[in-house]
Amino acid sequence: MDFFSDHKKLFSSALAFFLFLTLFICIFPALNNQKVYQPLQGSKPFTEEESRGKSIYIREGCVACHTQQVRNVDMDQVFGNRPSLAVDYARNKRINLFQNTATLMGTERTGPDLTNIGARQSSKDWQYSHLFNPRAVVPQSIMPSYKWLFIVKDQLDPGDKEISLPDAFKKGIKGKIVPSKDASDLVAYLLSLKQTELPKSIPAREFLYKKEEKKAEGNAGGDNLPDGEALFIANCATCHQATGEGVPGAFPPLKGDKVVLGDNLELYVTIIMKGYNGLAPQFGEMPAVGTNANFKPEDVTALINHERTSWGNNGKKVTVEEIKIIMDKIK
């Protein structure tokens, strides 16, 4: 009974027991996990620019409104190709000695999930315009403007990139609007957020409550196609708008567009798969949407047919066979 009366023995024993539990319950398992828990083979570490962008993302409080976790429920399919796994976060490291790993998984979706935003919206021009004033590209957005991440200059310096904005959002601004280093780093981080393809040895989790995939009525050849409207909304509508009218001064309209309604299918498919730069100098550069989204010939066919027959367009529908020949040619 002397043990409980001797405070030195009592506290020493309690401390030793606490250290024992800490080592065997926390530290040793963590070290073992760190040893065996490796990132996916196709994942890439952040560049210096992307790492700085992550710090800016944290500094600006973006995690308060955006998640980075695709749940295994049907409604999350628009945010990623598959539900997120623990291995997707294996590259997270301590920010510094005093700050723990920032997974940025988030708890609220006032704004959309950003797990796969680098593939879902890979346009730098769109990202810059969205940061400067979200209403410029998404009229119903409630996201605040981050104008302090941009600089207004009288003349562009070598290497500067003027952001594309509708005239209505330039009122009172005299000069050229260019992104600061912080804006450039933040956009680099956002564009790096892409889901890594799983190796064949790891089966992807299924989305729960999965509904039967909606099929279009079929093209001229009688083939069943994916839902062209859904593909457009998921991959194109943020720039070209759901109305097909684009954003004046920033992104071109598809309504009545000569490429959409024209006979040069090779140019049309090339723009979808590889993007463009310079075809319309007054607008921003278009990324390789089809390549980033891993479009198959059926997807491109459904998308083209939707664009050719929507918003008053009355273009001729195309077949999967036509598109496949062109896609094989431009690879």
Side-chain angles (χ1 to χ4, degrees):
M1 297 297 292
D2 291 341
F3 174 79
F4 295 102
S5 301
D6 189 333
H7 72 278
K8 290 184 179 179
K9 290 182 180 179
L10 184 61
F11 284 106
S12 297
S13 299
L15 177 61
F17 185 61
F18 173 77
L19 292 175
F20 173 82
L21 291 178
T22 302
L23 284 171
F24 284 90
I25 296 178
C26 299
I27 296 178
F28 288 163
L31 291 174
N32 184 63
N33 283 342
Q34 190 173 4
K35 180 179 178 181
V36 301
Y37 196 50
Q38 300 297 322
L40 289 170
Q41 189 174 11
S43 68
K44 299 178 181 179
F46 287 144
T47 64
E48 289 186 15
E49 185 181 25
E50 291 163 359
S51 294
R52 288 193 298 269
K54 181 177 180 179
S55 297
I56 295 164
Y57 183 94
I58 295 168
R59 183 191 77 193
E60 300 296 341
C62 303
V63 70
C65 296
H66 295 284
T67 57
Q68 290 186 34
Q69 50 174 314
V70 180
R71 302 167 301 176
N72 61 331
V73 292
D74 185 63
M75 65 183 291
D76 275 20
Q77 289 192 66
V78 296
F79 299 130
N81 301 318
R82 57 172 176 79
S84 296
L85 300 173
V87 71
D88 290 318
Y89 309 96
R91 287 196 180 275
N92 285 321
K93 307 293 182 184
R94 290 191 70 87
I95 299 173
N96 54 51
L97 180 63
F98 302 102
Q99 288 180 284
N100 200 357
T101 300
T103 62
L104 303 179
M105 294 174 70
T107 58
E108 182 178 339
R109 281 185 183 158
T110 303
D113 184 89
L114 301 181
T115 299
N116 204 37
I117 191 64
R120 202 169 73 238
Q121 184 46 267
S122 55
S123 168
K124 276 190 177 182
D125 291 277
W126 187 92
Q127 296 288 358
Y128 285 135
S129 299
H130 186 246
L131 277 177
F132 185 83
N133 192 324
R135 265 68 59 195
V137 289
V138 184
Q140 67 273 26
S141 176
I142 61 171
M143 175 176 156
S145 168
Y146 288 84
K147 292 182 179 180
W148 57 85
L149 296 178
F150 295 83
I151 304 168
V152 178
K153 294 184 175 182
D154 293 331
Q155 297 293 333
L156 296 178
D157 296 324
D160 281 345
K161 178 178 179 59
E162 183 181 9
I163 66 170
S164 302
L165 276 175
D167 292 337
F169 294 90
K170 294 181 180 179
K171 290 181 178 179
I173 298 175
K174 297 180 180 179
K176 311 289 185 180
I177 305 170
V178 298
S180 66
K181 186 68 168 64
D182 282 358
S184 177
D185 291 343
L186 177 55
V187 168
Y189 169 69
L190 292 173
L191 295 182
S192 74
L193 297 178
K194 299 176 183 178
Q195 278 192 313
T196 304
E197 186 176 353
L198 293 177
K200 294 181 180 179
S201 59
I202 303 179
R205 297 163 64 197
E206 291 187 3
F207 288 101
L208 300 179
Y209 320 117
K210 189 171 184 178
K211 300 173 184 177
E212 185 177 352
E213 186 176 356
K214 182 182 176 183
K215 298 288 184 180
E217 294 181 357
N219 64 1
D223 296 316
N224 287 326
L225 297 172
D227 182 3
E229 181 180 9
L231 287 169
F232 179 84
I233 291 173
N235 298 279
C236 314
T238 49
C239 289
H240 298 293
Q241 304 299 297
T243 61
E245 295 179 354
V247 178
F251 305 106
L254 301 181
K255 180 180 179 179
D257 182 72
K258 61 182 180 181
V259 174
V260 172
L261 297 174
D263 295 326
N264 192 344
L265 276 182
E266 184 173 335
L267 174 61
Y268 198 170
V269 175
T270 302
I271 290 174
I272 292 173
M273 296 304 298
K274 297 185 176 182
Y276 74 78
N277 183 16
L279 290 179
Q282 70 273 30
F283 297 112
E285 178 180 351
M286 175 174 165
V289 173
T291 300
N292 293 334
N294 295 315
F295 277 179
K296 298 179 177 62
E298 292 79 7
D299 299 319
V300 177
T301 304
L303 181 60
I304 288 177
N305 286 343
H306 171 71
E307 293 177 354
R308 285 191 159 198
T309 57
S310 301
W311 321 300
N313 289 345
N314 58 355
K316 178 184 176 182
K317 287 188 175 183
V318 297
T319 65
V320 176
E321 289 74 21
E322 289 178 284
I323 301 305
K324 188 176 187 309
I325 291 172
I326 295 173
M327 289 180 67
D328 289 339
K329 179 180 178 181
I330 65 175
K331 276 184 179 178

